Amino acid sequence: MRQDLIVILDLGSTENTVLAREIRSLGVYSEIHPHDITAEELRGFKNVRGVILNGGENRVVDGQAVEIRKELYELGYPMISIDYPQSKCETRFDKLPDQETLKQFVFGACRAEANWNMKNFIEDQVELIRKQVGDKKVLLALSGGVDSSVVAAMLIKAIGQQLTCVHVNHGLMRKNESESVVQVFRDELHANLVYVDASERFLGKLENVADPEQKRKIIGSEFIRVFEEEARKLEGIDFLGQGTIYPDIIESGTKTAKMVKSHHNVGGLPEDLKFELVEPLKQLFKDEVRACGVELGLPHDMVYRQPFPGPGLGVRCLGAITRDRLEAVRESDAILREEFAKAGLDKKVWQYFTVVPDFKSVGMKNNARVFEYMVIIRAINTIDAMTATVEKVDWDVLEKITNRILAEVGNVNRVCYDMSPKPPATIEFE
Ligand code: XMP
């Protein structure tokens, strides 16, 4: 390994990730581990330069104080503690120390080197992947989202043709999205890419299904089914690549975390399709994943794209999906994205998209009464998607988008702008 490591032990702090990011921002790699780690496990990590015992408000679990194993104090690593009254460290802090103090600990007491950067990270991962995989084959579900794209690029670099990517087009992708996945990965990066156009199959299953949860379930389970069918066609695959990232792991539960969220990746594969996982991004935060993608040579648009829900345009074509409304969502979304990019808003706004409800309203076209659909534009800003505010889009930009949608998108006679923050509204409509 090329990187020095500062280990953070989670003793009930809610600021573990803040601290990890703070240390990484100094150019030193940092990882969060559970408080009950053994001395042997800790010694097993490469290049440990120091340990931080990070306590906090969750340091009492079920009436019992959380403590580290006493043997850890004997290992001789430079150690400090934060908000941890039972600490036996010489240097203790009541709260997160400022950056200067952290710097002194990391570079002074720990003598860590600022050698954490994407180049080193990628070289380390390439080495680890080759060691893990050997001459075996890896399968990857490549959705075209940031995480799966970066994993794909990393695996291509590490093992080239031993990787097979499967891209399932569920028919709910944005305009030109699947085409761009094929172009980047098959044509430019020369990946082994299986492209499955399952649009008809998905749309068939979704016919007349109006309930949002039911729609999500169908899309999710059908996705696994299609992927499984493709996996069965391929022979001699032992590994499954996965775009798990650090927040997925942390949120799935360090031992003192209160909020436990299961992450939704390609779980649910049948028992007889047994794969070992390859997860080269599992230590990265989202912005680091993007930086890694850039370093691996992926196009800027792919790496900096806005979040897009797994069920795709399916949750933006409200109620039972019909082909004409799905087309209206896709075309209006493409116009919105084009105009936001022209106005420089693509770099400013966190998420923006269009929605088409399942009802019509009266309008006038060519002096005749029409009864057509409505497009709703949504543009929001947020830090963590838990709450969101509405972007104050310039009136001229909104007017231009409106006029283009009315002129270019079929079956639409009305455009609205959604002014609702989250809460009480959610970001998506379904
Ligand atoms: P809501 O609508 O809950 O959305 O305010 C919060 C964020 O999550 C995204 N989202 C999803 N992402 N699968 C995903 O991968 C989903 O089923 C899903 N539903 C919502 C949404 O786009 C927003 O960024």
Side-chain angles (χ1 to χ4, degrees):
M1 297 294 274
R2 288 156 183 81
Q3 291 143 173
D4 289 351
L5 171 62
I6 302 289
V7 172
I8 297 169
L9 295 185
D10 171 26
L11 283 137
S13 172
T14 51
E15 294 185 313
N16 291 310
T17 53
V18 177
L19 181 58
R21 304 215 46 148
E22 211 39 70
I23 295 169
R24 288 188 189 188
S25 76
L26 299 173
V28 178
Y29 185 50
S30 173
E31 284 181 2
I32 305 157
H33 288 280
H35 67 277
D36 58 356
I37 192 168
T38 64
E40 202 180 328
E41 284 168 324
L42 189 56
R43 254 188 284 134
F45 298 150
K46 296 259 161 56
N47 300 353
V48 175
R49 293 287 178 252
V51 178
I52 301 178
L53 311 180
N54 198 23
E57 61 188 56
N58 300 333
R59 83 173 92 70
V60 177
V61 174
D62 297 334
Q64 191 128 31
V66 170
E67 294 211 49
I68 64 160
R69 292 168 196 263
K70 298 284 175 284
E71 67 208 55
L72 299 194
Y73 291 110
E74 316 296 322
L75 293 175
Y77 294 120
M79 224 182 234
I80 56 171
S81 67
I82 302 169
D83 195 3
Y84 177 36
Q86 300 94 327
S87 163
K88 300 198 187 317
C89 296
E90 274 175 31
T91 314
R92 305 186 203 178
F93 298 97
D94 295 340
K95 57 177 181 36
L96 202 64
D98 60 23
Q99 221 198 15
E100 200 43 49
T101 313
L102 273 178
K103 233 177 177 167
Q104 275 167 20
F105 174 66
V106 169
F107 297 116
C110 300
R111 298 178 182 281
E113 263 184 63
N115 51 13
W116 155 248
N117 59 50
M118 276 310 143
K119 242 194 170 79
N120 283 342
F121 175 79
I122 291 168
E123 277 178 38
D124 278 346
Q125 289 305 319
V126 164
E127 210 175 293
L128 288 172
I129 292 166
R130 286 182 184 152
K131 206 151 113 201
Q132 186 188 3
V133 172
D135 58 3
K136 303 262 172 51
K137 292 183 185 160
V138 182
L139 177 65
L140 174 74
L142 175 60
S143 68
V146 179
D147 304 340
S148 71
S149 298
V150 177
V151 172
M154 181 82 94
L155 286 167
I156 291 165
K157 187 177 168 83
I159 55 165
Q161 296 299 302
Q162 285 164 255
L163 170 73
T164 301
C165 301
V166 173
H167 176 71
V168 177
N169 179 355
H170 51 26
L172 305 165
M173 306 289 278
R174 287 179 292 197
K175 194 171 176 177
N176 293 329
E177 205 165 20
S178 284
E179 289 82 350
S180 122
V181 169
V182 172
Q183 197 227 327
V184 168
F185 287 96
R186 184 184 283 164
D187 303 347
E188 290 170 28
L189 297 176
H190 309 293
N192 247 331
L193 173 69
V194 179
Y195 170 68
V196 190
D197 184 353
S199 310
E200 288 305 318
R201 180 169 165 171
F202 276 83
L203 292 184
K205 290 267 175 199
L206 288 164
E207 213 165 73
N208 300 320
V209 181
D211 177 62
E213 281 312 305
Q214 197 59 25
K215 283 165 73 178
R216 268 200 166 73
K217 266 197 201 121
I218 291 173
I219 298 166
S221 61
E222 204 56 21
F223 188 89
I224 290 171
R225 221 163 281 152
V226 175
F227 185 72
E228 181 201 325
E229 285 171 20
E230 294 305 318
R232 285 190 196 283
K233 287 186 204 158
L234 302 164
E235 295 200 342
I237 303 245
D238 291 296
F239 294 90
L240 186 71
Q242 231 168 42
T244 315
I245 71 172
Y246 211 27
D248 297 334
I249 292 180
I250 300 168
E251 283 169 18
S252 294
T254 55
K255 295 189 180 159
T256 62
K258 285 225 173 93
M259 203 179 70
V260 176
K261 192 169 96 182
S262 66
H263 48 106
H264 41 97
N265 37 32
V266 192
L269 285 176
E271 274 289 301
D272 64 318
L273 279 176
K274 274 213 182 89
F275 299 111
E276 191 182 318
L277 297 182
V278 185
E279 300 174 293
L281 309 180
K282 68 167 187 278
Q283 298 295 346
L284 298 187
F285 291 105
K286 194 77 180 188
D287 56 322
E288 294 169 339
V289 172
R290 296 189 211 275
C292 183
V294 170
E295 185 69 32
L296 285 163
L298 289 179
H300 187 277
D301 284 357
M302 189 168 256
V303 168
Y304 282 91
R305 55 180 243 155
Q306 51 170 325
F308 186 59
L313 301 181
V315 294
R316 296 174 184 171
C317 185
L318 306 187
I321 296 170
T322 57
R323 281 162 206 266
D324 56 349
R325 284 191 305 113
L326 184 58
E327 196 57 20
V329 179
R330 186 174 283 128
E331 292 301 322
S332 57
D333 172 73
I335 292 171
L336 177 72
R337 285 191 290 141
E338 208 180 302
E339 293 302 327
F340 262 40
K342 275 191 213 159
L345 290 172
D346 56 335
K347 293 185 185 62
K348 180 172 176 247
V349 183
W350 198 83
Q351 195 173 16
Y352 46 97
F353 53 87
T354 60
V355 170
V356 176
D358 54 350
F359 61 83
K360 293 178 174 179
S361 72
V362 177
M364 290 274 294
K365 277 186 180 172
N366 303 321
N367 292 323
R369 179 185 183 278
V370 288
F371 196 45
E372 291 180 325
Y373 297 119
M374 162 192 302
V375 168
I376 301 171
I377 298 171
R378 184 132 175 86
I380 59 96
N381 291 304
T382 175
I383 303 283
D384 56 8
M386 304 294 285
T387 63
T389 56
V390 177
E391 170 72 14
K392 288 182 184 163
V393 180
D394 182 77
W395 192 263
D396 291 340
V397 176
L398 278 180
E399 208 164 30
K400 186 159 177 215
I401 295 166
T402 301
N403 291 339
R404 276 196 64 190
I405 290 174
L406 292 176
E408 296 171 37
V409 181
N411 306 308
V412 171
N413 63 355
R414 205 177 284 268
V415 177
C416 298
Y417 189 65
D418 184 353
M419 295 289 294
S420 332
K422 173 181 181 174
T426 49
I427 296 174
E428 303 284 350
F429 276 52
E430 286 194 337

